[in-house]
Amino acid sequence: MKKVCFVADRFFWEEEMGDLLYQEINKISNEDRVVEFYFHTCHEIFAQKAVACIQKLRRERPEKHLSIIAIIDPLRWGEDKFNEEIPFRHDQFPRGSVDRIDFAPAFDGKCDKDERRFIQHFYKIDRWLYHQCDDMIAYYYDNLPNITQRTARTATSGNSRPALHHLYLPKTKDRIDILIEQLPERERNAVLAINSGTTYRQLAEQLGVSYNRAQQLVNRGELQIRRWLRQSS
């Protein structure tokens, strides 16, 4: 049996990616008769497209056992709050798509006891999920620094981590390289440094600025490139 998870940029989608995603899910499905696909919510468009691909494959290949597993946050939806409607009404799974509901572990850290740290808690569940899986399908551009890129690289490093299936469009990657050169000098140099393997701490030292300021420069460059990509799509 294979277990598969997904990670992608929450704010970026290209329609041409749909066929690549379907082909990759189909390819993984060919490697085992039983495949479980794990999702921690279905809010983002990449997750929604992946669920649609799996549903299509289930219709086309009924001999395969392809299951969609919804991961539920026990901090947000404990036993006293949980009901069968939550994956559909709150986590936006299509009705009839979920085969099983699993609860993530109840972590016992600072961010798990403070509702103001919900985002940190959410990412902790994501990291736990990645370590349960054999394969990760990831959609990102490695020349556009962002949290998805760092998450996929960290989650799939080491021998016991999930195998990475990296999806991207070569023409968009080439376009990003061109757009990087159009950035203002400080943002351009910051993005190029991170792309070459420089850490944010090293970048801050090189520029003589704080760690947060180094991140801001890279983030500004990334956001500008995203705006240009949206305008040209």
Side-chain angles (χ1 to χ4, degrees), residues 4 48 74 78 86 96 114 127 154 175 188 191:
V4 183
Q48 294 166 6
I86 284 173
D114 187 343
R127 290 193 296 272
T154 301
R175 175 69 176 151
R188 179 177 70 247
V191 169

Side-chain angles (χ1 to χ4, degrees), residues 119-137:
I119 293 178
Q120 293 96 316
H121 171 74
F122 187 93
Y123 287 142
K124 185 180 285 189
I125 293 177
D126 280 348
R127 290 193 296 272
W128 165 81
L129 174 59
Y130 302 151
H131 285 274
Q132 312 308 307
C133 293
D134 306 297
D135 295 80
M136 170 187 283
I137 298 178

Side-chain angles (χ1 to χ4, degrees), residues 178-192:
I178 293 171
L179 294 175
I180 289 173
E181 295 303 319
Q182 298 177 19
L183 291 171
E185 182 178 4
R186 283 174 69 82
E187 284 85 350
R188 179 177 70 247
N189 290 339
V191 169
L192 288 172

Side-chain angles (χ1 to χ4, degrees), residues 33 42 51 55 97 111 113 121 143 162 175 197:
R33 185 167 174 269
C42 196
V51 167
Q55 290 181 297
S97 64
C111 69
K113 300 176 181 178
H121 171 74
N143 56 346
R175 175 69 176 151

